[in-house]
Amino acid sequence: MRKIDSSELKQIQIEILSAVDRFCSDNDIQYSMACGTLLGAIRHGGYIPWDDDIDIYMLRKDFNRFEKIFPQCYEGHFELGTLKRCEEWCLPFGKVYDNRTCVVEKRSKAKTPGVNIDVFPIDEVPDDYTEWKQYNRKRISYVLDLRHSLLAFSKMNSVIKNCGVVLYTIRFLLTSSRKLAEKCDKYAQIYNGKGYEMVFETSLGISVKSPFRKSLFDDIIEIDFENRKFKGFRGYDEYLTRAFGDYMTPPPINKRYSEHTINAFWKE
């Protein structure tokens, strides 16, 4: 297998996003770039220089339809993994991946089929801030349980972290990561259909600070990303401010690094 370097990895991810964009346009499915991807598009015109992944958001209704109608193999080599589509899936969100590639994750037990982009369902949450905080505390506890269950013993970890891996392995001995992912997925959706105006990345989100208005999905525009155009909120300032605070100011140099620890390869 031939190893994929950082530059080629990003190019494959952009091709995956382009395929998703074409499929969504053809099938009237709304999405927006999100998280560091949207931040990078606005602040850098593409990837954040020290980042190496792509994230998009879909309202739950669009995510469910996307999950249902996305082909088993789109355009010859793009596939979608979700809890409903894959028996061994153990993440409460989706990934579209290139099946000609494979990924070795150094610190996680999650099996990622290939180079991919993340597709996060977005769910309604309480408009009242106090009620939101109460809900979010419990939601985060579920997310952390899932994350801890996916930790893998690694030489890259500190001794303390590897000790934690052993302890969490014992703790979750009788509960599979998939069951925990299903628990996260179920709890993420408990406020849908109740008429709330605020939404959040409930399936996994921790780094994003605050909910944002659902109506941002009503006004989607094209935004430059790596010399191409992809969909994003016209109200990106509201989303990015709620997500990151002063998003136009880069973090200190000692925090400019990727948290991902993967090696990617072409299968042939």
Side-chain angles (χ1 to χ4, degrees):
M1 295 189 295
R2 179 170 67 83
K3 189 172 182 178
I4 297 170
D5 64 22
S6 177
S7 177
E8 190 175 20
L9 175 76
K10 292 179 179 179
Q11 189 57 45
I12 297 169
Q13 290 173 341
I14 292 169
E15 293 303 329
I16 297 171
L17 180 56
S18 295
V20 169
D21 179 77
R22 289 191 293 273
F23 182 82
C24 289
S25 295
D26 290 344
N27 292 278
D28 194 29
I29 293 174
Q30 197 72 280
Y31 81 89
S32 173
M33 291 183 288
C35 307
T37 305
L38 184 54
L39 173 56
I42 299 304
R43 195 170 68 195
H44 304 279
Y47 281 94
I48 295 173
W50 51 92
D51 200 8
D52 57 3
D53 72 341
I54 288 178
D55 303 309
I56 65 173
Y57 281 173
M58 292 180 183
L59 286 175
R60 179 66 69 168
K61 64 179 180 63
D62 285 305
F63 179 87
N64 287 345
R65 186 160 173 263
F66 182 72
E67 181 181 48
K68 182 178 180 179
I69 69 173
F70 194 82
Q72 188 66 33
C73 187
Y74 181 62
E75 296 185 350
H77 47 267
F78 299 117
E79 298 187 27
L80 170 65
T82 68
L83 283 170
K84 288 184 178 179
R85 291 172 70 112
C86 306
E87 290 184 1
E88 296 182 356
W89 202 256
C90 55
L91 297 170
F93 59 94
K95 288 178 179 282
V96 178
Y97 60 93
D98 188 322
N99 66 14
R100 300 171 297 177
T101 67
C102 61
V103 168
V104 177
E105 173 62 66
K106 299 175 184 177
R107 298 182 182 179
S108 174
K109 297 174 186 173
K111 303 299 182 184
T112 302
V115 176
N116 62 83
I117 68 170
D118 293 329
V119 185
F120 291 104
I122 299 301
D123 297 292
E124 296 173 16
V125 296
D127 296 333
D128 179 78
Y129 188 71
T130 300
E131 190 177 355
W132 148 253
K133 292 292 286 185
Q134 291 173 345
Y135 162 74
N136 198 42
R137 278 194 293 270
K138 188 172 183 179
R139 183 194 68 82
I140 287 177
S141 72
Y142 290 157
V143 170
L144 290 177
D145 279 351
L146 173 61
R147 287 190 171 188
H148 290 145
S149 77
L150 293 171
L151 289 175
F153 194 90
S154 171
K155 293 180 180 180
M156 298 178 63
N157 293 339
S158 66
V159 173
I160 293 176
K161 191 163 188 177
N162 275 332
C163 288
V165 171
V166 173
L167 291 174
Y168 283 117
T169 298
I170 295 171
R171 177 183 174 187
F172 297 114
L173 197 59
L174 300 179
T175 304
S176 69
S177 295
R178 181 177 173 87
K179 289 294 184 183
L180 292 171
E182 290 172 342
K183 189 174 184 179
C184 287
D185 181 61
K186 183 177 180 180
Y187 195 66
Q189 302 182 57
I190 63 172
Y191 288 106
N192 287 339
K194 297 185 181 296
Y196 289 123
E197 297 297 322
M198 304 302 285
V199 294
F200 193 73
E201 181 196 318
T202 51
S203 62
L204 194 72
I206 290 180
S207 59
V208 173
K209 295 179 179 179
S210 304
F212 57 97
R213 288 184 298 122
K214 182 180 179 180
S215 59
L216 291 186
F217 281 96
D218 295 335
D219 194 1
I220 299 291
I221 61 174
E222 291 191 330
I223 298 175
D224 291 333
F225 185 87
E226 297 295 335
N227 299 314
R228 302 197 193 188
K229 291 185 181 296
F230 298 108
K231 305 298 192 302
F233 302 127
R234 184 185 296 274
Y236 63 80
D237 180 70
E238 176 182 336
Y239 165 75
L240 291 174
T241 299
R242 284 182 167 272
F244 303 108
D246 179 16
Y247 63 90
M248 289 304 288
T249 300
I253 293 177
N254 65 343
K255 292 187 177 181
R256 298 180 189 180
Y257 59 88
S258 171
E259 295 184 355
H260 302 99
T261 55
I262 67 169
N263 284 324
F265 303 87
W266 289 106
K267 289 181 179 178
E268 67 272 9

